[in-house]
């Protein structure tokens, strides 16, 4: 798995969000269902159309482990917040990111990247998780292909 450290200024994303249950390991299934629904109802196509980079993001906006929930957003990077009532905007703060590039079909490849990042790399690194959202970055392409590449961005600060 390729890993790099990068800096990125604050940027705005727009999209749809949903609160997801994390108890009993439910969140990967609920997030996959949210992506499938967003594909079926045209949300993903609309986000690609209004986005500035051609990439879609999965954003873990608000993790509340004590309550067993997180708010997950499917979004695109945008120049500004949109006035459309069907989408909400969120500003990703400027941060240093550990970027994990993963290859393979979804959702397995992204889940594997998160597992590696949090269970192996982060505990052994000179960094700790910073107070910002975790990001999944999805370029266009066949997300079920063996050579599909996507990224997990973990906000970090030195220990």
């Amino acid at each position: 798995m390729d890993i790099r450290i990068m800096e990125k200024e604050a940027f705005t994303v727009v999209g749809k969000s949903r609160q997801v249950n994390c108890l009993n390991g439910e969140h990967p299934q609920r997030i996959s269902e949210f992506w499938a629904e967003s594909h079926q109802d045209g949300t993903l196509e609309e986000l690609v159309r209004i986005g500035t980079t051609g990439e879609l993001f999965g954003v873990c906006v608000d993790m509340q482990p004590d309550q067993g929930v997180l708010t997950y957003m499917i979004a695109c990077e945008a120049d500004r917040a949109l006035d459309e009532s069907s989408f909400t905007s969120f500003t990703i703060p400027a941060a240093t990111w550990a970027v994990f590039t993963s290859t393979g079909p979804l959702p397995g490849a992204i889940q594997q990247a998160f597992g590696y990042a949090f269970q192996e790399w982060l505990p052994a690194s000179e960094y700790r998780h910073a107070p910002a959202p975790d990001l999944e970055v999805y370029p266009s392409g066949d997300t079920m292909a063996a050579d599909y590449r996507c990224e997990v961005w973990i906000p970090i600060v030195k220990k």
Side-chain angles (χ1 to χ4, degrees):
M1 185 171 305
D2 295 331
I3 303 162
R4 71 183 188 281
I5 306 298
M6 73 170 204
E7 305 282 331
K8 184 163 174 71
E9 293 300 317
F11 62 101
T12 300
V13 295
V14 297
K16 288 188 174 181
S17 61
R18 176 177 290 175
Q19 196 169 58
V20 178
N21 185 353
C22 295
L23 299 175
N24 302 317
E26 273 186 46
H27 61 287
Q29 178 63 33
R30 299 295 169 242
I31 291 169
S32 290
E33 290 168 359
F34 185 28
W35 278 95
E37 290 168 20
S38 296
H39 175 70
Q40 290 173 348
D41 70 12
T43 297
L44 300 185
E45 185 177 310
E46 180 67 9
L47 289 173
V48 168
R49 186 185 69 75
I50 64 176
T52 58
T53 66
E55 299 170 322
L56 293 176
F57 289 83
V59 184
C60 298
V61 177
D62 183 24
M63 298 195 68
Q64 300 173 23
D66 56 321
Q67 296 177 11
V69 296
L70 69 86
T71 301
Y72 184 86
M73 182 178 204
I74 297 175
C76 65
E77 188 169 348
D79 289 334
R80 60 186 171 15
L82 299 176
D83 294 329
E84 298 182 36
S85 61
S86 59
F87 295 121
T88 58
S89 65
F90 183 80
T91 300
I92 307 293
T96 301
W97 304 89
V99 178
F100 301 82
T101 302
S102 180
T103 304
L106 297 179
I110 203 76
Q111 292 168 354
Q112 186 176 28
F114 267 109
Y116 176 76
F118 281 101
Q119 296 168 4
E120 296 181 41
W121 186 84
L122 201 56
S125 77
E126 61 187 286
Y127 301 99
R128 63 178 173 80
H129 195 277
D134 297 328
L135 304 177
E136 303 158 4
V137 182
Y138 300 106
S140 63
D142 179 0
T143 61
M144 298 308 294
D147 64 348
Y148 180 72
R149 294 174 60 89
C150 57
E151 297 176 335
V152 169
W153 295 11
I154 307 296
I156 55 172
V157 293
K158 292 247 185 192
K159 291 182 182 172

